[in-house]
Amino acid sequence: MSSLSGRKKSIPQLAERTSGVANPSRRQLLTTGLAVGAGAAMAGLQARPAAAAGDPAITEVQDWNRYLGDGVDARPYGTPSQYEEHVVRRNVAWLTADPVSSVNFTPLHELDGIITPNGLCFERHHAGIADVDPAKHRLMIDGLVDTPLVFTMEDLKRFPRENKVYFLECAANSGMEWRGAQLNGCQFTHGMVHCVVYTGVKLRTILEEAGVKTSGKWLLAEGADASAMSRSIPMEKALDDCMVAFKMNGEALRPEQGYPLRLVVPGWEGNMWVKWLRRLEVGDKPWHHREETSKYTDLLANGKARRFTWVMDVKSVITNPSPQAPVTHGRGPLVISGLAWSGNGTVKRVDVSIDGGRNWKTARIDGPSLDKALHRFYLDIDWDGSELLLQSRAMDEHGYVQPTKNELRLARGENSIYHNNGIQTWYVKADGVVENVEVS
Amino acid sequence: MSSLSGRKKSIPQLAERTSGVANPSRRQLLTTGLAVGAGAAMAGLQARPAAAAGDPAITEVQDWNRYLGDGVDARPYGTPSQYEEHVVRRNVAWLTADPVSSVNFTPLHELDGIITPNGLCFERHHAGIADVDPAKHRLMIDGLVDTPLVFTMEDLKRFPRENKVYFLECAANSGMEWRGAQLNGCQFTHGMVHCVVYTGVKLRTILEEAGVKTSGKWLLAEGADASAMSRSIPMEKALDDCMVAFKMNGEALRPEQGYPLRLVVPGWEGNMWVKWLRRLEVGDKPWHHREETSKYTDLLANGKARRFTWVMDVKSVITNPSPQAPVTHGRGPLVISGLAWSGNGTVKRVDVSIDGGRNWKTARIDGPSLDKALHRFYLDIDWDGSELLLQSRAMDEHGYVQPTKNELRLARGENSIYHNNGIQTWYVKADGVVENVEVS
């Protein structure tokens, strides 16, 4: 179909077209000094006036309109451009003993908006990706219910359903920052978060179908993978906003996200969003299973551990610029962009500092502000080319403000790997290179 | 990594677990007659009480928890489950002479919610998918402007950006229905529509950067593909809500959607959303190019043609059940689901008929109701097992109601292939098979 391989000639079409147009004086006049804020963003843009004679940037070959491309039969299920091959989830080989019980990370620095594409949602498994046949999969409800029930996938799709946008964050996200590991990029420091649209049935609906007994105060959710992942969930949360979901971003759940069925526990740590969900048991007390005792508890400095720390508190991170996404242009307009989220609801405000927390500007939140979803923020500045210490600080709808890492350490010590929602700092050098640092 | 191939034993674990629990009497009592409406949806659900002895549905092998799955290094960019291989875009070989100038269709009947995954967004090309190197791509603004400008992709990413959810519909969507082709599935009758989150820069922003002269009343948008797709856009629309977008659903545009840059013209026919956007020319009148004269005009019965029929009027379709998604269960709860959209704003209401338009019930719109975006609706009914004639009828925020196909034919004849927003009918037979029909 395609004749892409037939490209040979170098005819600078666009450059020809633009020859002899205008002069750059207006643009040059607009190269101004430092001015922080959206209104000033365009003032110093380095956009090229058309036909600046001999500008190599506009005399390069652009011959793609000389060849027919692939047709509509080429890719029944589409894939990204060949020029985007670097935009992938990445794992860290030394982090765990085996990739079947490990994590890979969302490339936050390559994304924008609030939706994570399904192919780039981070994964965390405890026994690899279960390969479940949806025709054979079942969800059972048993325990303290009037009528134990077993549902096929088709059964579940006959209940009224809903669509909700929620972030999912692993409790261990940013965990290596407690002791200052300073991994080189927001993909690794903050990439255990994603945000998609879930389609499914309210957990409340199927619990009511089985009939929860008065003594039923807790719910055990159990997965069908080889780790038989299980977590205790208080009934109040189960009856509030939890879902059993079968679709993400419109299509079926991806295998690594629990295909064909996962529990959605909005705002709470990702470990509780049991994948390959096969059983819900109603009980009168929590089960104290491995993932809520030995793991997913927060060991304090005094040797005691915080338990049932389910909510992911308000948090934010600047995704651009960041260590994997340095500034590659000179001074002038610079878009500072990032993500904020809160397990307690919406994010009300995000402030950004370019000087390590001495001064703050309120960023612009763009796109919908949805309950327990990622929020996208921007601060458009006119960069003067000097070094920056970038920080973001989010505040949720209840007024809770994201703490510094040192404030967290004072309160909880450095034993834990979970629930680090401290403020992140990126050091932007004059040459645009960015490093993960801490400011005291 | 994986030992998926090692599966051999047939141990009905879940069935063992559920043996000897409860009895089915409560559920059997709940098998009731016809009742339309969400409240009644659960009343007749056929969910299996746990451990109905000998039920084959719960004694099948479910051994996935006996084997480790793939690890986090298996798929840096994720793909759907092997059980979802049928969920793909499909083209119709006989429809056009060559796949480089053709269309494939979004599998609407397999999706839910309002977001279309990038890999499943329909494609329409006029000379195949241009393969554009973003490092070499340029966008030029010329014509009636103060300062002609050429932007690199990096230049564009230095302007303040925004994120918006918009549907994109081809003007020819449902075009074959004018003369009653009755293609066998909503993928083919209505699949030239998708809806994603776009990230980009307001077109207004870059037009203001170049400075539009007072005489500049129209804009020509031109693509870098081999068809050099070009369309005239009135300046009023260009300065209203248009965008130059570089991301969709968080990641870079897909090649078939104009990577690295496309024009977004919210609510207007897809042909105007120029892909591989390379040039914007400001002029004082429209250009009358091929795609707005010979094509993308609506030939009426009297031989005259409607021109500049840009807006995609309010429309809806039931996606489930539909010919490719028959009812595979017996009587009882049935989720009727569909999509509605309007190029004039939001959809205010969707009505659904199960008797070919004689009686209507207002459906439940679920998820956000966003300007010029897809809306998801549901009607939860208790199916009595008799034949249905399913229709949906949307009303937009201005009170404009979707017409019948015959009303459209009376007004416009049957010469056109564009702008058919007529009401679609699906005939659901007693055995659950669904056909595309018309009711007079």
Side-chain angles (χ1 to χ4, degrees), chain A residues 57 62 136 140 154 328, chain B residues 18 62 136 138 140 154 328:
Chain A
Q62 295 183 325
K136 296 181 182 173
M140 181 168 71
E154 184 177 71
T328 53
Chain B
T18 61
Q62 296 182 326
K136 295 180 182 173
R138 299 292 181 271
M140 181 167 72
E154 184 178 72
T328 53

Side-chain angles (χ1 to χ4, degrees), chain A residues 159-182:
Chain A
F159 286 100
R161 61 186 86 150
E162 64 176 6
N163 300 278
K164 295 281 188 181
V165 182
Y166 290 123
F167 81 82
L168 183 165
E169 184 182 17
C170 177
N173 199 24
S174 315
M176 289 174 287
E177 296 291 304
W178 279 110
R179 301 183 192 181
Q182 298 180 348

Side-chain angles (χ1 to χ4, degrees), chain B residues 118-399:
Chain B
N118 290 345
L120 295 173
C121 290
F122 85 95
E123 303 167 58
R124 168 73 173 109
H125 311 304
H126 295 74
I129 305 168
D131 183 42
V132 177
D133 179 349
K136 295 180 182 173
H137 187 68
R138 299 292 181 271
L139 173 64
M140 181 167 72
I141 304 184
D142 63 358
L144 300 174
V145 294
D146 297 333
T147 313
L149 292 172
V150 173
F151 298 98
T152 64
M153 288 303 300
E154 184 178 72
D155 291 339
L156 292 172
K157 291 177 179 174
R158 298 175 69 183
F159 286 100
R161 60 185 85 149
E162 63 176 7
N163 300 280
K164 295 281 190 182
V165 182
Y166 291 124
F167 80 82
L168 183 165
E169 185 183 16
C170 178
N173 199 23
S174 316
M176 289 174 286
E177 296 291 303
W178 279 109
R179 301 183 191 182
Q182 298 179 350
L183 292 171
N184 208 31
C186 67
Q187 179 167 18
F188 303 107
T189 59
H190 290 73
M192 281 198 272
V193 68
H194 59 65
C195 185
V196 303
V197 188
Y198 293 97
T199 304
V201 176
K202 276 184 183 296
L203 180 54
R204 181 186 196 104
T205 301
I206 59 170
L207 287 173
E208 287 177 346
E209 186 76 1
V212 175
K213 291 183 185 296
T214 320
S215 54
K217 300 300 183 194
W218 287 81
L219 189 68
L220 184 77
E222 182 185 87
D225 63 328
S227 79
M229 173 60 60
S230 57
R231 287 295 301 261
S232 303
I233 298 166
M235 190 58 69
E236 188 180 8
K237 178 71 173 175
L239 296 177
D240 178 15
D241 55 3
C242 292
M243 298 166 69
V244 290
F246 37 81
K247 287 191 190 288
M248 59 193 291
N249 288 340
E251 66 184 350
L253 288 175
R254 290 296 176 84
E256 63 269 31
Q257 303 297 338
Y259 179 86
L261 194 67
R262 94 173 300 167
L263 193 64
V264 170
V265 190
W268 289 20
E269 57 188 26
N271 183 253
M272 308 179 78
W273 299 47
V274 173
K275 299 190 281 193
W276 314 290
L277 183 69
R278 72 168 177 192
R279 195 168 71 94
L280 296 166
E281 182 181 341
V282 177
D284 57 0
K285 53 184 179 299
W287 279 259
H288 307 300
H289 279 189
R290 176 179 184 276
E291 302 287 327
E292 51 207 21
T293 52
S294 162
K295 304 296 179 188
Y296 297 95
T297 49
D298 315 330
L299 186 60
L300 302 176
N302 64 5
K304 293 195 176 183
R306 299 199 309 157
R307 299 191 56 185
F308 298 147
T309 50
W310 302 304
V311 175
M312 301 309 296
D313 276 325
V314 75
K315 189 167 174 177
S316 69
V317 67
I318 289 172
T319 56
N320 302 82
S322 62
Q324 297 160 288
V327 183
T328 53
H329 55 73
R331 63 183 61 194
L334 170 65
V335 175
I336 299 171
S337 175
L339 291 167
W341 60 96
S342 168
N344 283 307
T346 59
V347 173
K348 187 176 171 182
R349 198 175 99 188
V350 181
D351 294 331
V352 169
S353 174
I354 63 172
D355 57 10
R358 286 199 299 266
N359 298 285
W360 297 90
K361 288 267 182 185
T362 298
R364 171 173 57 92
I365 293 177
D366 184 86
S369 171
L370 301 171
D371 181 53
K372 306 182 184 80
L374 291 187
H375 291 59
R376 171 64 60 179
F377 66 85
Y378 300 103
L379 185 70
D380 303 294
I381 73 166
D382 195 339
W383 185 36
D384 66 359
S386 62
E387 296 182 346
L388 306 173
L389 283 171
L390 291 180
Q391 297 184 333
S392 63
R393 183 180 66 185
M395 181 200 292
D396 72 17
E397 64 178 87
H398 309 287

Side-chain angles (χ1 to χ4, degrees), chain A residues 391-413:
Chain A
Q391 296 184 334
S392 63
R393 183 181 65 186
M395 181 200 293
D396 72 17
E397 64 178 87
H398 309 286
Y400 175 90
V401 178
Q402 187 180 359
T404 65
K405 290 179 186 172
N406 280 335
E407 285 170 344
L408 279 176
R409 290 182 187 118
L410 278 171
R412 299 200 209 139

Side-chain angles (χ1 to χ4, degrees), chain A residues 132-142 148-153 222-224 261 276-281, chain B residues 10-21 48-52 55-66:
Chain A
V132 178
D133 179 349
K136 296 181 182 173
H137 187 69
R138 298 292 182 273
L139 173 65
M140 181 168 71
I141 304 184
D142 64 357
L149 292 172
V150 174
F151 298 98
T152 64
M153 287 304 299
E222 181 185 87
L261 193 67
W276 314 290
L277 182 70
R278 72 169 179 191
R279 196 169 70 94
L280 295 166
E281 181 181 340
Chain B
S10 300
I11 301 175
Q13 298 200 335
L14 192 54
E16 282 178 50
R17 214 184 245 291
T18 61
S19 60
V21 190
R48 260 159 295 282
D55 181 347
I58 57 167
T59 56
E60 288 191 64
V61 184
Q62 296 182 326
D63 67 345
W64 24 76
N65 72 335
R66 298 175 60 81

Side-chain angles (χ1 to χ4, degrees), chain B residues 96-135:
Chain B
T96 56
D98 195 301
V100 299
S101 181
S102 191
V103 63
N104 64 20
F105 301 90
T106 306
L108 299 177
H109 60 294
E110 294 283 359
L111 303 179
D112 214 318
I114 65 166
I115 296 295
T116 317
N118 290 345
L120 295 173
C121 290
F122 85 95
E123 303 167 58
R124 168 73 173 109
H125 311 304
H126 295 74
I129 305 168
D131 183 42
V132 177
D133 179 349

